[in-house]
Amino acid sequence: MNVAIILAGGTGTRIGANIPKQFLCVMDKPILAYTLEVFQNNQNIDAIEIVCHRQWLEEVRRIVGKYGIDKTRWVTVGGATFQESTINGIMNLKGELAPEDIVVISFGVSPMTTDEIIDDSIRVCEQHGNGIASEDMVLCTCIKDDEFSTTQNLIRETVKGFSNPWTFRFGELCQAYETAMEQGILETLEPHTTSVYLALGKRLYFSKSASSNIKITTPEDLDLFEGHLLLKQKRAAEAANKKENTL
């Protein structure tokens, strides 16, 4: 079984809204609904779990019903941090999934993830035990000495940027988090599942991503997503007109 875990517990403080960004509407639809539709329509995803803030459980259920996300089998409460929400989502599936089942973890605010990206993360995970959507660096990169300057560059050919989603065998993922909790290292890590694996000395395997596969974080990201939707609408209309004219 391949299960998508959709993390929708963030508060979205950097976007400057008065509600969590996953519930902001773009062209009259919540961002979370767009993300859920991506996984609902992917043929390799068998079921969906949504992890969200306790106060927004009913809104999530409303979105699931309104937009026909019938692969949703679990809606569970997140935690105060990214790691806590991820752990809650994973532990909620204990007893539901077998160790060899695959979980595909995604931000609820990554609505431009494609089938190709999801499918490749699953393919790589089936081969190696995990598959992390990743991109080569296009820009020159550096290490920040402080907020405003640097004296150290990185060779971009040696650097990879992790993207969305990140996919794991369920049994190994549970074991990794249990070990990290036993060692008390979660509080010292960058808040991401990949950080847990790297801290435990585990190898991560790259799968496909794309520059458009962003996590919506800023107001500018909202504009990019709206432009993406408008372009899709335009292309769909052009294709429909072309088909009509050939009949």
Side-chain angles (χ1 to χ4, degrees), residues 98-146:
E100 291 302 306
D101 285 336
I102 287 175
V103 291
V104 183
I105 307 176
S106 172
F107 293 117
V109 288
S110 289
M112 290 190 280
T113 304
T114 65
D115 282 339
E116 182 181 21
I117 291 170
I118 295 169
D119 295 346
D120 197 59
S121 73
I122 293 172
R123 179 189 65 81
V124 173
C125 183
E126 287 173 341
Q127 292 180 353
H128 301 289
N130 64 72
I132 315 300
S134 310
E135 268 202 291
D136 289 330
M137 292 291 100
V138 177
L139 301 175
C140 292
T141 56
C142 66
I143 298 173
K144 293 195 295 185
D145 292 336
D146 54 38

Side-chain angles (χ1 to χ4, degrees), residues 190-245:
E190 179 185 349
H192 203 279
T193 310
T194 55
S195 304
V196 176
Y197 267 53
L198 293 174
L200 297 175
K202 294 180 176 291
R203 183 173 292 274
L204 296 175
Y205 293 87
F206 305 135
S207 61
K208 293 178 182 178
S209 190
S211 58
S212 59
N213 183 28
I214 62 171
K215 174 190 176 190
I216 293 178
T217 305
T218 67
E220 292 77 15
D221 295 335
L222 285 173
D223 292 339
L224 286 172
F225 180 47
E226 184 169 355
H228 167 81
L229 293 173
L230 290 170
L231 181 59
K232 283 181 66 176
Q233 285 186 355
K234 179 184 176 183
R235 287 176 173 170
E238 289 173 347
N241 288 336
K242 184 177 179 180
K243 182 177 179 180
E244 183 176 337
N245 292 333

Side-chain angles (χ1 to χ4, degrees), residues 182-195:
E182 289 170 5
Q183 295 182 3
I185 62 173
L186 289 178
E187 293 77 12
T188 66
L189 299 177
E190 179 185 349
H192 203 279
T193 310
T194 55
S195 304

